[in-house]
């Protein structure tokens, strides 16, 4: 089982090869005609100019002074979860929420996240997260503890800096999108930022899965890997590698009931979808939807509103449509 430093080295090695290949291709394409000997160009290489708060002001359509003077306020909201527990949201005030929506639309929407990050992405759904795992011998489901709270403001600032914002602008953007040193669950910008900030994490976990002939996807804090190999010792070793990688990014993996290793003789469920053979809603759910529709058409009382039934039927159609397109 490779150690975490080896995995990181592999990741850096892959990135390095891609970067070198890209540079060579660009250098050949941009070489002046007649430069058969490949001599070094005489023009000086220009470094990327960092984006400033002035550029930030232009992109958001708001004065720099207003951005710098803005003070965000958050209120705590508790949402019931299955099992009697509660989810804690940090909801921004209306002015902050509007500002964050502008940042999301004008700065974050066009940024690239990892292709295997399926949650909170336009055009992606739970079906996209489940499709890579259909028909596999083993499906491993892992869960990140306190996902938003563990995504630190320091990592958010580093990401803004990595895409070209100077120190002042990166600090300002971080202050406008974080709360108490982390991404607040309840802010419009937080879901997209968790994907953008974690692109390197997704790539590291994808490499782990591929190294063992497996597949990987992530939907928010839900991590899924699947493999054709049924050997339990190897699977447990992979889980430990994932645990260490998550820890290196500031996350903690849930244990106990949140960690599930599902084999073909069990219902292999990913984000509520069965993947044992083909991605589908559980049979019990499909029968229930048909029964409710039948009762509604006969004028019998049903346990949910017609609008809710339409939502369930739309989900069933979406699952079938995306599965058939794959």
């Amino acid at each position: 089982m490779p150690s975490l430093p080896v995995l990181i080295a592999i990741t850096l090695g892959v990135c390095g090869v891609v970067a070198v290949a890209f540079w060579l291709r660009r250098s050949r394409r941009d070489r002046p005609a007649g430069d058969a000997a490949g001599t070094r160009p005489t023009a000086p290489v220009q470094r990327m100019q960092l984006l400033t708060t002035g550029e930030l002001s232009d992109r958001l359509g708001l004065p720099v002074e207003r951005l710098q003077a803005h003070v965000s306020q958050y209120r705590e909201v508790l949402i019931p979860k299955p099992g009697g527990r509660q989810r804690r949201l940090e909801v921004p005030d209306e002015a902050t929420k509007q500002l964050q929506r502008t940042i999301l639309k004008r700065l974050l929407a066009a940024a690239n996240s990892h292709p295997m990050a399926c949650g909170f992405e336009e055009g992606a759904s739970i079906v996209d997260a489940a499709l890579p795992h259909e028909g596999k011998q083993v499906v491993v489901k892992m869960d990140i503890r306190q996902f938003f709270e563990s995504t630190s403001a320091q990592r958010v600032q580093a990401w803004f800096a990595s895409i070209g914002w100077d120190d002042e602008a990166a600090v300002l953007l971080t202050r406008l999108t974080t709360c108490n040193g982390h991404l607040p669950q309840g802010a419009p910008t937080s879901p997209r930022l968790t994907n953008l900030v974690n692109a390197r994490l997704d790539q590291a976990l994808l490499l782990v899965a591929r190294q063992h002939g497996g597949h990987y996807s992530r939907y928010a804090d839900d991590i899924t890997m699947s493999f054709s190999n049924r050997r339990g010792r190897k699977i447990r070793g992979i889980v430990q590698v994932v645990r260490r990688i998550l820890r290196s990014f500031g996350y903690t993996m849930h244990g106990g009931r949140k960690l599930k290793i599902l084999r073909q003789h069990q219902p292999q469920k990913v984000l509520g979808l069965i993947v044992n053979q083909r991605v589908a809603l559980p049979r019990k759910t499909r029968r229930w939807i048909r029964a409710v529709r039948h009762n509604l058409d006969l004028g019998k009382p049903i346990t949910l509103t017609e609008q809710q039934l339409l939502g369930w039927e739309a989900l069933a159609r979406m699952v079938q449509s995306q599965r058939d397109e794959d």
Side-chain angles (χ1 to χ4, degrees), residues 3-287:
S3 63
L4 179 58
V6 172
L7 290 171
I8 294 175
I10 292 172
T11 304
L12 292 175
V14 171
C15 295
V17 170
V18 172
V20 171
F22 178 80
W23 180 84
L24 287 173
R25 185 171 59 188
R26 285 292 302 274
S27 65
R28 294 191 188 101
R29 186 187 66 187
D30 298 338
R31 184 179 295 166
D35 188 14
T39 56
R40 182 176 297 176
T42 57
V45 177
Q46 294 185 352
R47 299 183 63 182
M48 179 182 68
Q49 185 174 358
L50 294 177
L51 303 172
T52 66
T53 54
E55 177 66 21
L56 178 61
S57 172
D58 290 342
R59 294 192 184 191
L60 297 182
L62 297 168
V64 172
E65 296 76 18
R66 178 178 170 183
L67 295 173
Q68 293 173 332
H70 182 84
V71 178
S72 303
Q73 296 181 337
Y74 293 82
R75 59 187 175 89
E76 185 177 284
V77 177
L78 298 178
I79 304 296
K81 295 173 60 177
R85 302 179 63 186
Q86 292 182 319
R87 186 186 307 276
R88 187 174 71 94
L89 303 183
E90 293 167 303
V91 180
D93 62 272
E94 285 303 317
T96 301
K97 189 179 297 184
Q98 186 58 46
L99 177 55
Q100 289 172 342
R101 285 172 177 157
T102 302
I103 293 173
L104 175 63
K105 179 180 179 180
R106 300 193 180 187
L107 297 185
L108 305 182
N112 292 325
S113 59
H114 195 278
M116 300 316 298
C118 302
F120 318 125
E121 293 294 318
E122 185 176 356
S125 70
I126 58 174
V127 181
D128 296 286
L131 277 171
H133 311 293
E134 61 180 7
K136 301 301 187 296
Q137 291 293 330
V138 182
V139 174
V140 184
K141 296 173 58 178
M142 296 161 278
D143 185 84
I144 300 174
R145 187 191 301 270
Q146 295 182 323
F147 181 51
F148 286 87
E149 293 88 336
S150 299
T151 306
S152 68
Q154 182 180 6
R155 292 185 62 214
V156 173
Q157 182 176 330
W159 181 80
F160 279 122
S162 74
I163 64 169
W165 295 103
D166 67 12
D167 290 344
E168 183 181 5
V171 168
L172 178 56
L173 280 165
T174 302
R175 181 170 64 79
L176 294 174
T177 55
T178 62
C179 170
N180 296 326
H182 62 259
L183 286 178
Q185 187 173 5
T189 45
S190 291
R192 188 89 222 284
L193 277 171
T194 60
N195 286 343
L196 298 172
V197 168
N198 283 309
R200 286 175 53 243
L201 168 64
D202 288 322
Q203 183 62 18
L205 296 180
L206 176 62
L207 287 175
V208 171
R210 284 181 174 175
Q211 187 179 22
H212 296 277
H215 298 265
Y216 163 79
S217 67
R218 181 177 62 82
Y219 194 98
D221 56 354
D222 290 304
I223 293 172
T224 307
M225 289 186 178
S226 58
F227 306 91
S228 297
N229 193 316
R230 290 182 287 182
R231 284 181 289 176
R233 181 175 297 179
K234 176 173 286 190
I235 298 300
R236 288 192 293 271
I238 293 171
V239 170
Q240 292 309 312
V241 172
V242 172
R243 190 187 302 274
R244 291 197 295 270
I245 292 176
L246 288 174
R247 190 179 301 124
S248 73
F249 283 87
Y251 296 120
T252 302
M253 183 195 297
H254 269 291
R257 292 180 300 174
K258 290 293 186 80
L259 172 61
K260 296 181 179 180
I261 301 176
L262 306 172
R263 304 184 185 278
Q264 270 286 328
H265 67 275
Q266 303 170 283
Q268 294 174 322
K269 191 179 292 187
V270 176
L271 299 167
L273 303 177
I274 296 294
V275 297
N276 290 67
Q277 295 179 348
R278 299 203 67 189
V279 172
L281 284 172
R283 182 178 301 174
K284 182 178 179 180
T285 302
R286 299 198 305 269
R287 288 176 174 174

